[in-house]
Amino acid sequence: MTEPMILVTGASGKIGGAVVSQLREKGWPVRALVHRMDARAERLRAQGVEVVAADLFDPEQLLQAMRGTARTYYCPPWQPYMIQSAVAFAAAAREAKLESIVNLSQWLASPSHPSLATRQSWLADQMFAGLPGIAHTIVNPGFFADNYLRLIGFAAQLGIFPMPIGKSRNAPPSNEDIARVAAAALMDPARHAGRSYRPTGPALLSACDMTAILTRVLGRRVRHIDMPIWMFRKALRALNLSPFEQDSVPYYIRDHKRGAFELGAPTNDVLDVTGRSPEDFETIARRYAALPEAQRSFANASRAWADFMRIGMTGALDLDRYEREQTHPLPSPSRLAVDSDIWRKEHGMAPLAKEPPVGRRGGMRKGIEPA
């Protein structure tokens, strides 16, 4: 019996690429949707994958890409008009009569979150769930291990781990485990229809726990620097994140420090869905420690030092001004995920005993902006 073709969007990215690899290892036919034909597309072809280029915001191109497929993985584009992409994708999926959609969402997704990306993730979840005749599964991880291990160069070369998360904890999942959950749902949509999975690592870890692991993995002492949020915002700009990303991440840090990623963690979702235990942080860190930028050398140390010094010389983006200029629709009032009773109800948590005080949008910046 020939297995149905599965369409994977974001196939040249970290999670999408891992979804492709998981499906191909199991022998499933895959069509990879990419933004452009480049070297990454050629690497996908080398795995025996059919590759197509399409615009995620164009319903006609999406419909053409879906023709001949039965199931799809949707990875939302990280930009202000993501919801337009999700609507175009839903319209094309209905026209193509797909069997199932597995979409990558966010653990924080909620309707009144101050991050536009996070509000739109919640809206996309609701929309896909309402498509008639299409099985729908949500994969909503929290803060990925990748978000911490992007600092492997600083840890390996300078012995520092600059993360502004205080003593809060998380059970960070690997890209590969997130992909395994998505691939399992794609291979058996009937079993996973209507479910929402939160892949996590096996244990809650603080920044100090992570630095202890990095010290062991790298063979040198690594210490946590609880970077103030105003400096972290400078770092986001110095590292060339888009303004849209720079706008959202400080809110995620505030949710992190409020314990949003500790609630309900760790889960058994990776084991229950895939049949294998999730990777621990040390296993993931050892992969990152093998990267070229983590190798101890004078050139790498000089580069890491220059990158760190550049943070202090970079001006932070004026996020309030950015939001005003974008004229995004704004919830009134805004609430972090941990303060949203809707979010807490959807994640099986008790409502707040007392509703937190909130104000207009700008009030959400209090406590995360410099005085």
Side-chain angles (χ1 to χ4, degrees), residues 103-147:
N103 76 286
L104 184 68
S105 184
Q106 296 183 21
W107 176 244
L108 300 178
S110 50
S112 58
H113 200 277
S115 162
L116 176 63
T118 302
R119 297 197 300 275
Q120 291 190 131
S121 289
W122 186 85
L123 289 171
D125 293 345
Q126 310 308 307
M127 180 178 58
F128 289 140
L131 290 173
I134 299 179
H136 174 233
T137 305
I138 299 172
V139 180
N140 63 349
F143 227 57
F144 301 4
D146 181 73
N147 292 326

Side-chain angles (χ1 to χ4, degrees), residues 55-59 62 74-77 79 81-91 127-128:
D55 185 344
L56 268 178
F57 295 86
D58 187 323
L62 288 170
Y74 176 73
C75 179
Q79 66 112 290
Y81 296 101
M82 183 276 279
I83 195 64
Q84 181 175 331
S85 166
V87 172
F89 196 87
M127 180 178 58
F128 289 140

Side-chain angles (χ1 to χ4, degrees), residues 23-224:
L23 293 171
R24 291 301 299 142
E25 285 178 10
K26 301 291 186 180
W28 284 74
V30 175
R31 180 179 296 165
L33 192 153
V34 298
H35 183 63
R36 66 176 66 86
M37 295 297 184
D38 54 17
R40 293 177 298 178
E42 291 305 317
R43 287 194 289 269
L44 289 167
R45 281 203 181 93
Q47 298 182 56
V49 173
E50 180 185 343
V51 182
V52 297
D55 185 344
L56 268 178
F57 295 86
D58 187 323
E60 293 180 322
Q61 290 186 34
L62 288 170
L63 178 58
Q64 186 62 31
M66 289 178 188
R67 297 291 190 195
T69 69
R71 306 169 189 176
T72 185
Y73 166 78
Y74 176 73
C75 179
W78 191 261
Q79 66 112 290
Y81 296 101
M82 183 276 279
I83 195 64
Q84 181 175 331
S85 166
V87 172
F89 196 87
R94 186 175 58 183
E95 180 67 20
K97 297 181 171 55
L98 292 184
E99 295 176 7
S100 71
I101 295 174
V102 176
N103 76 286
L104 184 68
S105 184
Q106 296 183 21
W107 176 244
L108 300 178
S110 50
S112 58
H113 200 277
S115 162
L116 176 63
T118 302
R119 297 197 300 275
Q120 291 190 131
S121 289
W122 186 85
L123 289 171
D125 293 345
Q126 310 308 307
M127 180 178 58
F128 289 140
L131 290 173
I134 299 179
H136 174 233
T137 305
I138 299 172
V139 180
N140 63 349
F143 227 57
F144 301 4
D146 181 73
N147 292 326
Y148 304 104
L149 291 170
R150 291 183 185 189
L151 302 174
I152 194 70
F154 287 151
Q157 308 303 328
L158 308 180
I160 59 174
F161 184 65
M163 283 294 293
I165 58 175
K167 296 181 179 180
S168 61
R169 299 180 300 165
N170 181 23
S174 68
N175 296 334
E176 291 74 15
D177 278 334
I178 297 168
R180 288 185 186 101
V181 170
L186 289 164
M187 290 185 285
D188 192 357
R191 175 188 169 196
H192 302 288
R195 301 295 299 274
S196 178
Y197 295 118
R198 181 194 179 188
T200 71
L204 283 167
L205 303 172
S206 66
C208 289
D209 295 326
M210 294 180 200
T211 54
I213 292 169
L214 289 172
T215 294
R216 185 162 60 247
V217 167
L218 296 170
R220 67 163 300 167
R221 181 171 179 262
V222 179
R223 60 191 179 90
H224 173 223

